[in-house]
Amino acid sequence: MTLKSWITRSIVAGAAATVVHFLFMYSKSRLGVLPSFQPYESFQMALSRWVGSDVPAIVPWVLSLLNGMTLIGLLFGRIFQFLPGRSGAAKGLSFGFIGWAFLNLVFFPLIDLGPFAIRVGAGIGPALLSLGMLLIYSIVLGTVYVALESKPLMVRA
């Protein structure tokens, strides 16, 4: 596989998974699920503290979009062969559990939600919701990544 096709597969798979993630988060909001758990607002407030001024609400969403499409997609493509599982979905599932641990043990405390977003005061709800969100994202990521493996991509130089 060429570097260009690996990058393209990783970004396309990351983009597909990110679309599903945004639909998940939109549905969470529209259905009123865990209204006290607003990770994007918490991220926005943390960013505002870090830079010392107000950060527009769109910034955490854009950062998440770029991260999900590029950095996470490229990381997945890079470690794909080392992940346990025989299918893209299984490898995505493995990747999702790793991401969930990172999100809950590093990122949530970093944005003042505490481990597993315990400071939200909603019990294990945020941890379970983030698990579902990350597993859905990662399964889509792995499935699309493998699906693109067998198909030539139309990429122009």
Side-chain angles (χ1 to χ4, degrees), residues 72-80 83 88 91-92 95 141-142 145:
I72 302 299
L74 291 169
L75 175 63
F76 179 79
R78 187 72 181 137
I79 67 171
F80 178 81
L83 291 168
K91 287 179 178 283
F95 189 71
L141 179 68
Y145 187 82

Side-chain angles (χ1 to χ4, degrees), residues 41-64:
E41 288 178 17
S42 299
F43 186 31
Q44 178 187 4
M45 289 186 296
L47 287 171
S48 294
R49 281 192 309 274
W50 299 338
V51 300
S53 66
D54 287 341
V55 171
I58 191 73
V59 171
W61 287 96
V62 169
L63 289 174
S64 180

Side-chain angles (χ1 to χ4, degrees), residues 82-133:
F82 304 110
L83 291 168
R86 293 187 177 171
S87 68
K91 287 179 178 283
L93 194 64
S94 301
F95 189 71
F97 279 113
I98 294 166
W100 180 72
F102 178 83
L103 180 73
N104 281 278
L105 296 174
V106 176
F107 186 72
F108 283 169
L110 190 66
I111 63 171
D112 252 357
L113 294 177
F116 300 96
I118 199 71
R119 288 192 182 144
V120 170
I124 65 168
L128 293 176
L129 183 86
S130 65
L131 176 63
M133 182 270 300

